[in-house]
Amino acid sequence: MKDSKKIFAYFMATAVAVFNFTGCDLINPPKKDVKKAAAAVEENVSKTAAEKNMGALPADTIVRIGAWSLTSQQFEQRLKLLKEGLPDFDADKPGNKESVLNELIRQQLLVKDAEDQGIGEKKEITEAVEDFKRTLLVQELANQLTKDIVATEKEAKEYYDQNKALFVTPIEWTAREAVVADEVTAKNMLVQVLQGGDFAEIAKAQSKGKTAAQGGVLPAFKKAPFDAMQTAIANLDAGGTSAVFKGPEGFYLVKIDDKKGGDTKSFESVKKDLVSGLTLRKQQEAILDHINEVASKIKVEINKELIGSDHGK
């Protein structure tokens, strides 16, 4: 039901916002016209009541149009929903309640006229109403099935302890490469680096790769350009140099200039999101279990020829 209330709040917020803040006389008529319209409505209500022997307007009823009525409690609920959709709306501001009431009256007059014309019986209208009803029923049942299902902090901690790898911050690498055609030359470069040679200068002088002119600098990455490089640098820290390995353009050396991330997030920092995520998962499982239970009791017939024989496989 929450979604239907949101729809009302949005609709009324839009209607009242337009009513209060536009200068269009058709939407926001002069006060004299409003009074005339209200008087006409009152006269019409009186006639309808007399014709149908509905009696006097009940004490708690603000307005009645034909068989439709609005009590003071219902009106206050609509004002509350309107406030949710339009936070700046102030129901206590002079004229605002009257504006909302007049808008509700206009709506009901149009609804009544549409019903009298039989518009409500049109196929597209009845189908839309039925679809909306189905949606509300499903939502309300889902709310009932899940209202008491909440993951505990203990469950969140157990999940965290069993899946710590999921809570490691991604590593970002800053690295340089040197690429040559043969393994012997690559190993000679590695010896030069290990003896204290400047990797950038060695790459500029000997690398045949596209990054040679920049001293082998690669764009920062969270995953290496290819798997063999990722494997070669996996255990390296900042300042480390890889062993020689084969790649797409020849034989490679990689030096790590910087390495950020790789830390495990604390449980406290992820607890709230974990509890929320586990609660949602438990609620989804409860709904699916209920569907399976209902499906075991109610016969479902499917014409597979109309939708394809692969259905249900």
Side-chain angles (χ1 to χ4, degrees), residues 82-256:
L82 178 57
K83 179 69 174 177
E84 293 177 6
L86 193 66
D88 292 335
F89 175 76
D90 183 1
D92 295 326
K93 183 177 179 180
N96 276 1
K97 285 188 178 181
E98 183 182 2
S99 296
V100 175
L101 179 60
N102 286 335
E103 183 59 35
L104 290 170
I105 290 171
R106 291 187 185 93
Q107 289 178 23
Q108 185 56 33
L109 287 172
L110 291 174
V111 169
K112 182 69 169 62
D113 186 42
E115 290 175 342
D116 290 344
Q117 293 184 43
I119 294 176
E121 302 303 318
K122 287 188 175 182
K123 182 180 179 182
E124 58 268 30
I125 299 296
T126 57
E127 288 179 351
V129 170
E130 182 61 26
D131 285 343
F132 188 59
K133 176 183 176 182
R134 286 159 53 86
T135 299
L136 291 181
L137 288 172
V138 170
Q139 290 173 348
E140 184 61 22
L141 178 58
N143 289 337
Q144 291 181 20
L145 291 172
T146 61
K147 64 180 180 180
D148 297 322
I149 299 177
V150 180
T152 65
E153 184 175 324
K154 180 181 178 182
E155 290 173 322
K157 185 63 166 64
E158 289 175 354
Y159 184 88
Y160 173 85
D161 290 337
Q162 295 169 9
N163 299 275
K164 282 192 175 181
L166 299 177
F167 304 98
V168 176
T169 58
I171 297 175
E172 183 174 84
W173 310 81
T174 303
R176 297 173 183 269
E177 66 175 1
V179 189
V180 292
D182 61 278
E183 187 175 8
V184 173
T185 302
K187 287 183 177 180
N188 286 335
M189 285 195 301
L190 177 58
V191 171
Q192 295 172 46
V193 172
L194 294 177
Q195 290 178 344
D198 186 288
F199 192 97
E201 294 303 319
I202 293 172
K204 285 181 181 180
Q206 301 180 48
S207 178
K208 307 300 180 184
K210 298 176 182 178
T211 60
Q214 292 79 42
V217 174
L218 292 165
F221 57 84
K222 293 181 179 178
K223 184 176 181 181
F226 53 93
D227 291 343
M229 182 182 289
Q230 186 66 46
T231 300
I233 68 172
N235 297 317
L236 295 179
D237 292 321
T241 302
S242 73
V244 173
F245 61 94
K246 196 172 188 315
E249 297 180 7
F251 291 85
Y252 289 70
L253 278 182
V254 173
K255 180 181 178 181
I256 305 302

